[in-house]
Amino acid sequence: MKRQYHKEYLTREELTAFLKVKLSSERLEKVRDVFVFSCFTGLVYEDLKKLRAEQLMTLPSGSHYLRIYVPMTRFSRTIPLLDIPYKIIEKYKGQQEDGGLFPLFPLPVMNIRLREIASECGINKTITTFSARRTFATTIASENGIPLETAAKILGHNLLKSTLSVTCFTKNKIASDMSAISGQFKDMETMFNL
């Protein structure tokens, strides 16, 4: 029998709380910043460990993106950076002795600290580093109209089935999608007399 588990992710309001909370230590702030970066890029902890400054690219238009090679799929991913993740990169750029972009703690420490931060935000969920990937797929991508195929490319998935496994389709998303097409049936409504 397949094990069932709840897919934890942050809603827009919870993500805002993560961004705004005044944390009690620099250590918690670093964990929060790395988590928020992942929420806006969909990158997992293992990807973050491999990030280097030379992977940051700037287009002539001034927009920024990351280029990441994924050995498992044998192709490069291009991840456009919104302002928040770019500012986080700038905050920590050049500070890591190993040449990485971010100050990373061991994964178990990251997950413990994330639960502390969630508690300080009044969020009663078991938040882990992987919750950031789900937050990207659900709150950042799906709820803001990014097509599933585009989200799949950013997440590094070859199969949409993989993207669906990390995306939660919320009531708001479903209502928004249906609302977007509601006006297309006005002609039918006038023909249908009830």
Side-chain angles (χ1 to χ4, degrees):
M1 186 161 144
K2 191 173 181 180
R3 188 176 140 209
Q4 294 292 320
Y5 59 95
H6 187 69
K7 297 176 180 181
E8 296 289 11
Y9 65 92
L10 297 181
T11 64
R12 185 181 185 97
E13 295 76 21
E14 291 166 338
L15 183 55
T16 299
F18 253 70
L19 290 168
K20 290 172 38 175
V21 69
K22 298 293 181 207
L23 297 167
S24 57
S25 74
E26 186 179 315
R27 188 174 225 197
L28 288 177
E29 186 177 324
K30 288 176 180 178
V31 170
R32 184 263 320 269
D33 290 349
V34 169
F35 178 78
V36 167
F37 179 85
S38 292
C39 287
F40 281 92
T41 61
L43 292 174
V44 294
Y45 180 80
E46 290 301 316
D47 291 335
L48 295 174
K49 285 175 31 178
K50 297 173 191 167
L51 281 181
R52 300 291 179 259
E54 57 271 10
Q55 293 171 284
L56 181 62
M57 309 291 175
T58 304
L59 295 174
S61 65
S63 58
H64 306 283
Y65 67 95
L66 288 171
R67 171 130 321 149
I68 300 171
Y69 177 73
V70 184
M72 188 172 81
T73 57
R74 296 188 191 130
F75 72 91
S76 290
R77 290 164 47 191
T78 300
I79 301 172
L81 295 174
L82 300 173
D83 287 342
I84 291 171
Y86 182 71
K87 286 177 182 177
I88 293 169
I89 287 174
E90 288 295 307
K91 180 177 180 178
Y92 295 105
K93 197 176 189 181
Q95 295 181 20
Q96 311 327 305
E97 291 178 18
D98 66 355
L101 283 182
F102 300 112
L104 292 173
F105 300 100
L107 185 59
V109 173
M110 296 282 290
N111 287 330
I112 289 167
R113 300 290 180 249
L114 284 171
R115 290 183 193 108
E116 289 176 34
I117 297 166
S119 179
E120 286 192 34
C121 293
I123 299 169
N124 189 21
K125 293 179 178 177
T126 304
I127 299 300
T128 65
T129 58
F130 197 77
S131 300
R133 191 164 174 88
R134 293 190 191 288
T135 299
F136 171 79
T138 302
T139 305
I140 302 301
S142 176
E143 290 194 350
N144 287 291
I146 293 176
L148 197 58
E149 297 83 0
T150 302
K153 290 292 183 194
I154 293 170
L155 291 168
H157 293 153
N158 283 333
L159 303 172
L160 289 181
K161 178 179 169 183
S162 300
T163 307
L164 287 170
S165 73
V166 296
T167 305
C168 299
F169 292 93
T170 63
K171 291 177 186 173
N172 288 344
K173 169 65 175 155
I174 294 166
S176 173
D177 286 351
M178 290 305 289
S179 177
I181 65 166
S182 67
Q184 296 181 21
F185 301 99
K186 291 292 182 198
D187 60 330
M188 287 183 188
E189 290 173 14
T190 57
M191 290 185 266
F192 187 61
N193 294 324
L194 275 183

